[in-house]
Amino acid sequence: MSAAPTSPGAPQGSTRELLTLAGPLMLSNLAYTAVGFTDTLLMGRLGVVEVGAVGFANICLLTLVLLFRGSLNTASTFVARALGAGDAAGVRRWASVFLGSALVGVPLALVGPLLLDGLFALLRPEPGITAVARTYTHIRVWEIPVLLLGSAALSVMVGLGNTRTPMRLAWLVVVVNAALAVLFIFGLGWGVAGAAWAAVIAVTLQNGLALGLLGHLHGPRFGPFRLARPTRGELGSLARVSLPAGVTELADVSAFTAFQGVLSRLGPTELAASQIALQLASLGFLPAFALASATGSLLSRALGAGRPEVATRIGWRGTGLAAAFMGVLGVLFLTLPRPLIGLFSRSPEVLAVGTSVLAVMAAYQILDGVAIVLGGALGGAGDTRFRLIVTLTGAWLVMVLGASWLAPRYGVTGAWGAALAFITLAAVAYVLRFASGRWRSVRL
């Protein structure tokens, strides 16, 4: 999949080019943060248990879909590589393969409630939290089929350099979810179930439109995108690149789900404070994920165009931008913890616990930015197996086992200290890997 450097799809590797692609993605992720803020604020009006339980439920839902969604999100890597090489037929083919693979969402939705109940039984949160989370998740599973199809379509758009359409669709979710949630939760008195149905409708609308707009906007240039079955050779590529990426996402979030289970056993106050702190931290890590997506897409295009030196420059520039942004957020966490936590809860206990959690989060903001963006850069190069090794080692052995040992002794601060150790390990490992240049020779 190599081509001459003169390919019209070849990026230049400038900061402006990176920010042009990443900017709409940052706004997209800010929209997802706004959805989380809205749900947390509304649940806060219902009670402390509801705040923690809905946040816990969302992590469990992510655990259910991330193997598949993480694999499908590598569509941007394959499409961007073909685009950089000037291979229009390759763009169309890979887009169709990933759309066809997204049909796995249908059986997943059918068995989802059973899998979620098994996860709740394994994690053993408090009974009140389990009851609320079960109500919420058993409704949300019905969005999974269109969610996966839409995820594939959105990833193809990112690979093609179109990040404005995903941004507009993300903000559509904010508006629709907020309006319906207020109506369903308070107007109709549906409580937590109302929040779930509002999310299902908003997410289904977003991803359904993404699927239609992919063909409408990009079909004239690349031809029709159909649901295609992968060939044996394509299955090999998916196994080498996409499957490890999906397993990495699953391992990462399932480890965090287990971490949340540790927090939930400390009590509703600790869980609620941690969920609020996470919503605040998402102001940093979701834009960093946007930079990671943009970095990975541009890096893959540069490799497709035969420009590894440009790919290297893209990776380091994206990392520097993320570290600078998240460093500012870390300062805010240290200087304004109580006002920030107070936006969500006035409970003295939640304020006290949340302040200590934000202090630990402040310590790892820069490292988190480095790990997120360089992880995205390695993913864009197809070096997904290295990311999988780091995640399995760090997330489970360091964060989960560390939190399980530290939480009973040092409480919620000890648990988050284990998360700090994992993020430090990941950042150092990705810096060393990217600096080595071994990712340049990875074959898709």
Side-chain angles (χ1 to χ4, degrees), residues 3 20 24 52 111 127 132 141 147 156 160 169 187 217 256 299 376 378 387 402:
T20 297
V111 300
V132 174
V141 293
L147 171 68
V156 170
L160 294 175
L169 292 175
L217 296 174
F256 196 73
L299 184 146
L378 293 172
R387 292 185 63 207

Side-chain angles (χ1 to χ4, degrees), residues 4 15-16 52 100 154 166 202 219 224 248 264 273 303 310 326 338 340 355 357 408:
T15 300
R16 180 177 180 180
L154 291 168
T248 298
S264 71
L303 290 176
V310 173
M326 294 187 71
R338 294 184 73 86
L340 291 172
T355 297
V357 172

Side-chain angles (χ1 to χ4, degrees), residues 28-38 279-280 282-283 286-287:
S28 296
N29 285 346
L30 183 61
Y32 295 125
T33 302
V35 171
F37 266 64
T38 301
Q279 288 297 328
L280 292 166
S282 67
L283 291 171
L286 286 180

Side-chain angles (χ1 to χ4, degrees), residues 3 31-32 47 54 72 97 130 170 175 178-179 246 248 262 268 274 280 294 340 349 355 389 405 429 444:
Y32 295 125
V54 169
L72 292 170
V97 165
T130 300
V175 175
T248 298
V262 173
S274 294
L280 292 166
L340 291 172
E349 293 81 7
T355 297
I389 293 170
W405 188 83
L444 292 188

Side-chain angles (χ1 to χ4, degrees), residues 227-298:
L227 305 180
R229 179 183 299 178
T231 65
R232 181 175 297 182
E234 290 164 346
L235 281 174
S237 294
L238 295 177
R240 282 194 306 273
V241 177
S242 301
L243 183 59
V247 176
T248 298
E249 296 292 336
L250 176 63
D252 194 5
V253 175
S254 62
F256 196 73
T257 303
F259 178 74
Q260 291 284 293
V262 173
L263 295 176
S264 71
R265 290 193 289 275
L266 294 174
T269 297
E270 287 78 1
L271 183 60
S274 294
Q275 292 298 330
I276 290 170
L278 277 171
Q279 288 297 328
L280 292 166
S282 67
L283 291 171
F285 66 68
L286 286 180
F289 280 124
L291 271 170
S293 295
T295 300
S297 178
L298 285 174

Side-chain angles (χ1 to χ4, degrees), residues 97-146:
V97 165
F98 277 93
L99 289 173
S101 301
L103 292 176
V104 70
V106 175
L108 183 60
L110 295 176
V111 300
L114 291 176
L115 295 175
L116 288 163
D117 285 347
L119 186 58
F120 295 152
L122 179 66
L123 296 176
R124 297 181 290 112
E126 290 192 346
I129 292 173
T130 300
V132 174
R134 189 173 188 272
T135 297
Y136 187 83
T137 56
H138 281 214
I139 296 170
R140 290 288 306 272
V141 293
W142 297 111
E143 74 194 36
I144 290 176
V146 70

